[in-house]
Amino acid sequence: RVQRLMTEMGLQRSVKCRQTRTTHSQHDFPRYPNRVADLKSSHPDEVWVADITYVRLAHDFVYLAVIMDVFTRCVRGWHLSRSLDRDLTLTALRRALVEHVPHIHHSDQGWQYACGDYTDLLTEYEVLISMAAVGKPEENGYAERLMRTIKEEEVDLSDYADFHEAYRSIGCFLDEVYTRKRIHSALGYLTPAEFEA
């Protein structure tokens, strides 16, 4: 009733409460075991974690895929896309593999990570594939924490007018602020770039 009355008066809600899901694990692609459950990473590129989140624009959503090295906390690859498809995660992975190759790649069981194109690329680079159990986001805790940091320190503080502004701002945050300026207590209060160096 309220929505109908607001429409009749020409009013619109200023805040959209709709959320969007990024993980769809109901698929027929192969599943992989969690290889990092009790693993303590001890060197760079031992374990990469990957995740997807949505970013709200003025009138719609875009999607962010990020890959991070657990030991250094360096972002190895990322991509922002208007579509929640396999190109989103594949582009982030291809960017990450330009200069580094992990021993283990860990993600949730979403179809973008389980699809043949993605797992074939990891296999081509002889990377072991690891996945969190369905409905267990805590099994991908490093990636979840990274996404929370991105949301709290960049996305939630910004009001992106369009895709290009979001791409520019998020890219600057990941490549400059998060990697080169933001200190981490787990890294002895160094930035990821300093710790890796």
Side-chain angles (χ1 to χ4, degrees), residues 22 51-55 62-65 84 88 147 150-151:
T22 56
D51 202 5
I52 302 170
T53 192
Y54 69 92
V55 175
V62 292
Y63 303 94
L64 174 67
L84 189 58
L88 170 68
M147 290 307 195
I150 294 167
K151 289 284 188 94

Side-chain angles (χ1 to χ4, degrees), residues 26 28 154 169 181:
Q26 299 300 318
D28 295 326
E154 167 57 29
S169 296
K181 295 180 182 175

Side-chain angles (χ1 to χ4, degrees), residues 43-60:
H43 57 274
D45 300 317
E46 183 176 13
V47 177
W48 285 1
V49 292
D51 202 5
I52 302 170
T53 192
Y54 69 92
V55 175
R56 191 186 306 274
L57 303 182
H59 301 291
D60 59 351

Side-chain angles (χ1 to χ4, degrees), residues 20-26 51-52 84 108-113 144:
T20 183
R21 290 182 55 200
T22 56
T23 302
H24 299 279
S25 48
Q26 299 300 318
D51 202 5
I52 302 170
L84 189 58
D108 59 37
Q109 293 190 23
W111 72 269
Q112 297 93 337
Y113 295 114
E144 295 284 336

Side-chain angles (χ1 to χ4, degrees), residues 61-73:
F61 293 98
V62 292
Y63 303 94
L64 174 67
V66 181
I67 298 172
M68 180 186 76
D69 175 58
V70 170
F71 184 72
T72 65
R73 303 298 200 276

Side-chain angles (χ1 to χ4, degrees), residues 5-136:
L5 290 172
M6 289 178 68
T7 301
E8 288 173 4
M9 293 187 291
L11 301 173
Q12 294 181 349
R13 290 180 294 170
S14 60
V15 177
K16 294 181 181 178
C17 298
R18 193 184 92 199
Q19 291 194 351
T20 183
R21 290 182 55 200
T22 56
T23 302
H24 299 279
S25 48
Q26 299 300 318
H27 55 72
D28 295 326
F29 296 113
R31 314 291 174 137
Y32 294 84
N34 184 343
R35 300 175 187 274
V36 300
D38 299 314
L39 180 67
K40 301 291 184 213
S41 184
S42 60
H43 57 274
D45 300 317
E46 183 176 13
V47 177
W48 285 1
V49 292
D51 202 5
I52 302 170
T53 192
Y54 69 92
V55 175
R56 191 186 306 274
L57 303 182
H59 301 291
D60 59 351
F61 293 98
V62 292
Y63 303 94
L64 174 67
V66 181
I67 298 172
M68 180 186 76
D69 175 58
V70 170
F71 184 72
T72 65
R73 303 298 200 276
C74 282
V75 172
R76 294 295 191 219
W78 65 273
H79 185 58
L80 191 72
S81 174
R82 290 184 175 92
S83 178
L84 189 58
D85 61 14
R86 70 187 71 209
D87 287 334
L88 170 68
T89 52
L90 273 169
T91 301
L93 180 59
R94 286 187 184 113
R95 288 179 176 177
L97 291 169
V98 168
E99 294 184 10
H100 299 270
V101 176
H103 179 62
I104 300 172
H105 175 287
H106 184 73
S107 68
D108 59 37
Q109 293 190 23
W111 72 269
Q112 297 93 337
Y113 295 114
C115 71
D117 292 344
Y118 199 90
T119 57
D120 288 350
L121 184 56
L122 289 171
T123 302
E124 180 183 329
Y125 280 82
E126 300 181 352
V127 177
L128 295 176
I129 301 169
S130 172
M131 291 182 173
V134 173
K136 297 280 189 179

